[in-house]
Amino acid sequence: MRTVLIVEDDLVNARVFSKILTKRGGLNVKHTENVEEVMQIAQAGEADVILMDVSLSRSVYQGKAVDGIKITQMLKADPKTSYLPIILVTAHAMAGDKEAFLEQSGADGYISKPVVDHQEFVDQIAALLPKDEG
């Protein structure tokens, strides 16, 4: 079963995403906003795709405040995790933000909150999951 790692500091959003992904998508879900944990899960290959909140208000890594863009950059820069599809999730969607966020972070996709169309949400994530071989 494929696993989605949800990196989100709002527990309500995390719960909603989890429910949609498990019920509709038949996916396994992990959730954390702890950056060390995100790195460990990614490096251990325990996630197939990451849903990354852009504005993580409480996340700190090695003593520095980091947001979803920075964490995505770190994951994409590490050869062990650079292959992992990362989808940015943000409530601060203004015209032009999507392109800027994708370009800055190197992420593979972008979803704005609130998630209205649950099936489209699942489809967007499923599209980035590694395909089963053979």
Side-chain angles (χ1 to χ4, degrees):
M1 185 184 274
R2 298 297 187 187
T3 299
V4 178
L5 173 60
I6 299 172
V7 184
E8 166 67 72
D9 58 6
D10 181 316
L11 285 177
V12 175
N13 280 331
R15 270 194 214 109
V16 170
F17 294 165
S18 293
K19 198 171 225 168
I20 297 169
L21 293 171
T22 52
K23 296 256 186 313
R24 263 196 193 241
L27 295 162
N28 200 359
V29 172
K30 291 180 183 219
H31 167 250
T32 184
E33 60 175 291
N34 176 317
V35 187
E36 272 87 8
E37 232 176 282
V38 171
M39 298 314 226
Q40 284 165 357
I41 290 169
Q43 288 169 350
E46 293 170 17
D48 297 294
V49 65
I50 297 176
L51 269 188
M52 181 73 68
D53 184 18
V54 169
S55 51
L56 296 163
S57 53
R58 298 184 290 272
S59 292
V60 174
Y61 187 66
Q62 297 174 340
K64 294 188 186 82
V66 292
D67 61 7
I69 302 281
K70 183 71 191 144
I71 300 167
T72 301
Q73 289 169 339
M74 293 187 307
L75 289 165
K76 289 297 185 183
D78 181 341
K80 273 194 269 182
T81 54
S82 62
Y83 68 91
L84 250 177
I86 299 174
I87 301 173
L88 298 176
V89 185
T90 181
H92 309 290
M94 311 289 273
D97 278 358
K98 176 180 180 176
E99 292 73 20
F101 285 151
L102 287 171
E103 195 177 314
Q104 276 175 1
S105 65
D108 303 279
Y110 180 98
I111 294 172
S112 52
K113 291 188 274 200
V115 169
V116 183
D117 185 330
H118 292 185
Q119 192 56 53
E120 186 188 344
F121 177 68
V122 169
D123 292 346
Q124 272 184 284
I125 291 159
L128 288 175
L129 288 171
K131 303 292 175 254
D132 289 318
E133 292 178 23

